Amino acid sequence: MYTIGIDLGGTNIVAGLVDDRYNILTTARVKTNLPRDPEAIIDDMVSLCHKVVEQQGITLDDVAYVGVGCPGTCNVETGEVEYANNLKFSHLQLGPIMKEKLNKPVYVDNDANAAALGEAKAGATKGAAKSVCITLGTGVGSGIVLDGKIYGGSNYAGGELGHTVIVMDGEPCTCGRQGCWETYSSATALMSQTRKAMEQNPDSLMWKLAEGDLDKVDGRIPFEAAKAGDAAGQAVVDRYVQYLACGLVNVINIFQPDVICVGGGVCRQGENLLGPVRKLIEEGRYSKFCKKQTELCVAKLGNDAGIVGAACLGENA
């Protein structure tokens, strides 16, 4: 029997047909095309479900259920998206509406939670009883899996680790607070820190790597500059590593998970990023004298994590 996982994002909607070994057999996607009516987005997701089964030469009768990873706060019991800012969803009965259109059970959870579940089922944290998945993207996404189940708190809004404060009265965050981990450790924050350093250091190699254009700055540039001996680039990397490690130490001190996996484009730097982060974690964690320590690794599934995780949402329902 197959399942379908849908990763509903602000830019793309991607559906995947997944087998019982968590392999993605076929995918289909469309642009999210925001802003637009939620019903139109739901219709696109329904169409993608039909498309992936047709591509595989099967029918929806061969599919056990559909899972959707959606940004925002999702009531996993009712399938309601209580609030999703970027999608302009407010108390949207996403699961029930899709269930009626597809005549299939539909499970809904937060997209970062789905990605964490995907890594736990088939990725970097597979086999770990307690794991946390951190994604460094536009923000800092996070998902917590305890004993095989997503932890969402009493109101399904738990696990927003990116919105824990690491700098009191710091940079303003989109959530309304100041100094959130997200405002210092997201890929967006890294690019902002890089641009600021470039403006303060007109002779930095980072200008050449960005072809003299601040709009071409990405998370790779300070790392490449640092490897080439550029002092300004190294300063950006060092500061970013400190911010990232600070948040990760908080996560370890709270949850003491078996594994934390970190994903997102920044993690393409591999040990250039995680090596110095590990050193700071070793120095800062409260559990430094314990025999067992949390493992830190790079996420394995990339953009597929959300699809695989969404396709698993019905397993523990």
Side-chain angles (χ1 to χ4, degrees):
M1 204 68 171
Y2 305 95
T3 57
I4 294 174
I6 299 176
D7 187 2
L8 171 56
T11 303
N12 297 298
I13 307 170
V14 187
L17 183 70
V18 178
D19 66 17
D20 56 6
R21 295 184 178 181
Y22 309 119
N23 298 307
I24 299 176
L25 304 177
T26 182
T27 62
R29 71 176 61 216
V30 294
K31 292 292 184 183
T32 314
N33 288 330
L34 298 176
R36 60 176 172 145
D37 186 79
E39 284 281 357
I41 294 175
I42 290 174
D43 286 341
D44 273 351
M45 290 193 286
V46 169
S47 295
L48 290 176
C49 290
H50 288 289
K51 187 170 183 178
V52 292
V53 295
E54 288 171 6
Q55 288 173 176
Q56 188 66 19
I58 61 175
T59 71
L60 281 175
D61 290 337
D62 299 301
V63 174
Y65 64 82
V66 175
V68 182
C70 176
T73 302
C74 304
N75 186 320
V76 300
E77 293 184 12
T78 65
E80 174 187 2
V81 181
E82 296 183 351
Y83 184 66
N85 178 55
N86 291 339
L87 297 173
K88 307 302 180 188
F89 289 176
S90 179
H91 298 290
L92 176 67
Q93 300 297 319
L94 177 59
I97 292 171
M98 288 190 66
K99 179 180 179 181
E100 183 176 348
K101 290 177 178 288
L102 291 168
N103 195 29
K104 287 286 172 184
V106 177
Y107 302 94
V108 181
D109 206 331
N110 173 267
D111 55 348
N113 288 346
L117 186 61
E119 290 289 347
K121 293 290 187 179
T125 62
K126 183 179 179 181
K130 298 170 178 62
S131 63
V132 178
C133 181
I134 303 294
T135 303
L136 308 174
T138 303
V140 171
S142 54
I144 303 158
V145 178
L146 304 177
D147 298 323
K149 294 186 177 182
I150 295 168
Y151 175 78
S154 62
N155 58 357
Y156 319 107
E160 289 290 347
L161 302 176
H163 296 293
T164 54
V165 171
I166 65 168
V167 179
M168 191 70 178
D169 299 322
E171 297 287 339
C173 182
T174 56
C175 75
R177 301 182 79 192
Q178 290 178 268
C180 288
W181 188 24
E182 169 169 304
T183 65
Y184 292 91
S185 293
S186 64
T188 304
L190 176 58
M191 289 187 286
S192 176
Q193 293 157 16
T194 302
R195 292 187 187 100
K196 186 179 294 186
M198 290 168 63
E199 291 172 335
Q200 295 170 349
N201 297 273
D203 296 328
S204 170
L205 176 62
M206 291 187 288
W207 281 102
K208 181 178 180 181
L209 294 172
E211 299 176 6
D213 187 350
L214 289 174
D215 290 335
K216 293 185 178 180
V217 168
D218 59 26
R220 170 190 58 85
I221 284 175
F223 286 92
E224 291 297 317
K227 281 192 286 186
D230 182 75
Q234 187 65 59
V236 172
V237 170
D238 289 346
R239 195 65 173 157
Y240 181 76
V241 162
Q242 289 177 332
Y243 290 137
L244 181 57
C246 178
L248 289 172
V249 168
N250 290 342
V251 174
I252 291 170
N253 286 351
I254 295 167
F255 295 102
Q256 294 296 336
D258 299 304
V259 185
I260 296 177
C261 72
V262 184
V266 180
C267 291
R268 295 192 186 101
Q269 298 301 322
E271 286 304 306
N272 289 331
L273 172 66
L274 294 191
V277 167
R278 281 196 188 91
K279 184 177 180 182
L280 292 177
I281 288 175
E282 289 168 3
E283 295 169 355
R285 61 192 170 195
Y286 186 77
S287 59
K288 61 175 66 118
F289 299 111
C290 294
K291 289 183 179 180
K292 184 176 181 179
Q293 298 291 347
T294 298
E295 178 188 348
L296 179 67
C297 65
V298 175
K300 288 184 178 179
L301 299 183
N303 293 333
D304 290 342
I307 297 172
V308 173
C312 298
L313 289 176
E315 291 187 9
N316 296 319

